[in-house]
Amino acid sequence: MYVQYNINVTGLPQKYANTYTARNYYVYLPTDYDATRPYTTVFLGPGCGGNGSQVLPMQNASGKSAILVGLSPVGQCFETSDADSPEINFFDAVLSTVESSFCVDQAHVFIAGFSSGSWLTNLIGCARAGIVRGQGNATGGLPPVPTCAGPIAAMLAHDEGDPANNISGGEAARDRILKINGCSLTATTPYDAGRPSMCVQYQDCPVAFPVVWCPTTGQGHSDQVSTGLSVPGFWNFWEAMP
């Protein structure tokens, strides 16, 4: 089960300090958690209106192999409207605390989210690339971002008819990653997501930083759980990376 933790975030820009200092997050430990074994650790962001316990059910794919950390927004949605977002400080603070409390495999830290949590994922995937090994996106878009820290592996799923987050936002987030990774912007090969899908993998990416794009139809503003792209899809993508 997810257990809630409270945290005070420091180093915030002054305009955020009053509202974004007191935060909370949730941790899901695998069954038979072993404090001497380094675990893949996945940060997860919910859509607007959710908290850190209402995230993609990644435990259905990760089983006993991962620590899951659900991040809660302040109010309804994560604050991703500016490149100096308080969510960067929040992520840093939670990561530091989780690493000091649990056995985190620092080479296998990932982040994924739905809707507002996907906007957060794009922000953190840029600002903390290198610390975060890879990301997974279910809908969302590209927020204003700081100078990105480097390449990152990414699997992005977005429905062509999403009425809340237009697919052009997902395409912009994908294209930012393709450029910083040095991938082809057009050449692709089919990607096997484990079930019939339109997923493609971009060519010429570094082996360590693949990029997969999964447009869907008929799902609307979807967390892509029913399609299998956001839970087993993201997990299998991360597990297959070198």
Side-chain angles (χ1 to χ4, degrees):
M1 61 181 291
Y2 274 98
V3 177
Q4 180 179 333
Y5 295 84
N6 298 320
I7 191 169
N8 284 326
V9 180
T10 61
L12 291 165
Q14 187 57 44
K15 64 181 178 179
Y16 297 123
N18 288 341
T19 304
Y20 291 91
T21 295
R23 303 292 297 265
N24 71 75
Y25 63 96
Y26 292 74
V27 174
Y28 181 105
L29 293 179
T31 305
D32 302 326
Y33 170 73
D34 179 356
T36 66
R37 167 194 167 188
Y39 285 85
T40 293
T41 300
V42 181
F43 287 78
L44 298 163
C48 289
N51 63 37
S53 69
Q54 299 165 315
V55 291
L56 297 172
M58 196 59 63
Q59 67 273 14
N60 292 346
S62 61
K64 298 181 179 181
S65 299
I67 297 168
L68 308 179
V69 183
L71 302 173
S72 297
V74 171
Q76 290 294 299
C77 308
F78 291 104
E79 173 49 74
T80 56
S81 61
D82 291 305
D84 66 349
S85 168
E87 309 300 352
I88 298 174
N89 299 72
F90 176 42
F91 172 80
D92 290 345
V94 175
L95 175 61
S96 177
T97 302
V98 169
E99 287 180 336
S100 67
S101 303
F102 307 106
C103 195
V104 172
D105 181 350
Q106 294 179 325
H108 293 89
V109 174
F110 301 97
I111 187 167
F114 161 61
S115 193
S116 181
S118 181
W119 290 81
L120 173 73
T121 294
N122 284 321
L123 173 70
I124 300 302
C126 165
R128 293 297 178 260
I131 294 171
V132 178
R133 178 72 180 81
Q135 66 180 68
N137 295 77
T139 188
L142 180 62
V145 292
T147 300
C148 294
I152 189 168
M155 180 174 177
L156 307 94
H158 205 126
D159 194 76
E160 293 176 348
D162 189 330
N165 289 161
N166 191 277
I167 194 170
S168 62
E171 292 168 339
R174 173 202 66 194
D175 291 349
R176 179 200 71 75
I177 298 170
L178 290 173
K179 290 175 183 176
I180 202 167
N181 286 15
C183 308
S184 169
L185 300 181
T186 56
T188 63
T189 56
Y191 177 82
D192 182 3
R195 60 181 63 194
S197 71
M198 296 296 291
C199 297
V200 295
Q201 183 166 343
Y202 281 81
Q203 297 184 21
D204 301 328
C205 298
V207 173
F209 300 108
V211 178
V212 170
W213 171 247
C214 297
T216 61
T217 58
Q219 298 298 315
H221 188 58
S222 172
D223 61 11
Q224 300 289 348
V225 171
S226 65
T227 64
L229 295 176
S230 63
V231 177
F234 293 164
W235 179 255
N236 293 338
F237 172 72
W238 296 330
E239 284 286 280
M241 292 192 309

